[in-house]
């Protein structure tokens, strides 16, 4: 009838001119290639060992806030890790562990992927100590390396902020400095990572 034909005609014009987008390929989705920017992380691939030292606060400054008779706090750390491509090269996976003192270790897992809209690397990290962190990494503007910023939450729900830089000394050596600001104040650790042969 006339009413039905009018409604169908209106519906066609609404869909054609208002709601519908220009013609597009409605076939199966095609998997995109890894972002070319991921190649900037190529130098991270491999197995690494590292040593670090807490430079702020100093051991003497920490002792001032500890009960009398306490053992000297640990200020040097060591660990190992491995970085490799995963998810068809769309992500860099890094995992490893490091000494936390008193015979304890922390094991971590981190992913880095290129964010095409933000134009920088998005990072996600977790650890077996209940930490969850999200951050950003960009090429350093004044050195051959990367700078990172991020925020994390520990198992108790405390929040902390981390920022730092990693510099490529050569293809087998990275120097780095990271500062963490959280419930225990500000702590800065400097260290060096060496490629395992």
């Amino acid at each position: 009838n006339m009413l039905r034909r009018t409604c169908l005609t209106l519906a066609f014009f609404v869909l054609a001119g208002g709601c519908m987008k220009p013609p597009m390929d409605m076939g199966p989705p095609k998997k995109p290639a890894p972002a070319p920017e991921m190649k900037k992380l190529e130098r991270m691939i491999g197995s690494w060992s590292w040593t670090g030292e807490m430079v702020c606060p100093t051991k003497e400054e920490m002792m001032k806030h500890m009960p009398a008779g306490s053992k000297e706090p640990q200020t040097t750390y060591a660990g190992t890790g491995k970085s490799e491509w995963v998810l068809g090269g769309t992500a860099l996976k890094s995992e490893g562990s490091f000494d936390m003192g008193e015979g304890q270790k922390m094991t971590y897992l981190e992913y880095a992927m290129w964010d095409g809209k933000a134009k920088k690397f998005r990072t996600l990290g977790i650890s077996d100590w209940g930490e969850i962190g999200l951050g950003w990494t960009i090429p350093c503007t004044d050195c051959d390396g990367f700078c990172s910023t991020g925020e994390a939450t520990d198992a108790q729900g405390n929040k902390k902020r981390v920022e730092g830089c990693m510099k490529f000394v050569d293809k087998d050596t990275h120097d780095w400095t990271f500062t963490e600001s959280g419930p225990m104040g500000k702590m800065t650790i400097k260290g060096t990572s060496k490629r395992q042969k």
Side-chain angles (χ1 to χ4, degrees):
N1 60 33
M2 184 67 178
L3 179 59
R4 184 178 178 183
R5 286 198 302 272
T6 301
C7 288
L8 288 173
T9 301
L10 286 173
F12 172 78
F13 281 113
V14 168
L15 288 173
C19 299
M20 286 188 70
K21 295 188 176 182
M24 59 183 292
D25 183 2
M26 297 302 290
K30 295 180 180 178
K31 180 180 177 181
E37 289 82 2
M38 292 299 295
K39 286 294 183 182
K40 295 178 181 179
L41 303 179
E42 183 78 47
R43 288 185 285 181
M44 303 296 298
I45 299 296
S47 296
W48 304 85
S49 60
W50 62 269
T51 55
E53 180 181 7
M54 186 178 295
V55 295
C56 179
T58 64
K59 184 183 295 185
E60 292 72 27
E61 289 171 332
M62 286 189 279
M63 290 294 290
K64 292 178 184 178
H65 301 283
M66 298 172 70
S70 297
K71 292 175 58 177
E72 285 193 356
Q74 178 176 335
T75 56
T76 57
Y77 303 86
T80 58
K82 178 182 179 182
S83 296
E84 60 184 343
W85 296 125
V86 294
L87 302 178
T90 62
L92 178 72
K93 173 186 174 184
S94 300
E95 59 183 328
S97 63
F98 55 92
D99 175 25
M100 293 293 288
E102 302 294 329
Q104 300 185 94
K105 283 189 174 183
M106 175 185 283
T107 300
Y108 66 89
L109 179 62
E110 183 180 74
Y111 291 90
M113 298 183 75
W114 179 253
D115 186 316
K117 184 175 181 179
K119 303 300 182 186
K120 48 189 173 181
F121 296 99
R122 165 67 82 178
T123 59
L124 164 66
I126 56 176
S127 81
D128 61 352
W129 281 46
E131 294 183 319
I132 303 172
L134 288 172
W136 299 101
T137 295
I138 60 173
C140 186
T141 57
D142 54 5
C143 74
D144 181 20
F146 291 96
C147 291
S148 302
T149 59
E151 294 184 347
T153 304
D154 66 18
Q156 289 74 44
N158 299 311
K159 292 185 177 181
K160 60 183 179 181
R161 182 167 180 80
V162 179
E163 57 184 6
C165 285
M166 182 200 69
K167 177 183 177 181
F168 295 109
V169 178
D170 56 47
K171 67 182 183 67
D172 297 321
T173 310
H174 307 157
D175 284 344
W176 44 265
T177 303
F178 283 93
T179 298
E180 175 185 299
S181 302
M184 295 180 67
K186 183 175 287 189
M187 297 180 291
T188 300
I189 296 179
K190 296 181 72 173
T192 299
S193 297
K194 292 280 191 179
R195 188 184 300 277
Q196 294 182 343
K197 302 296 186 180

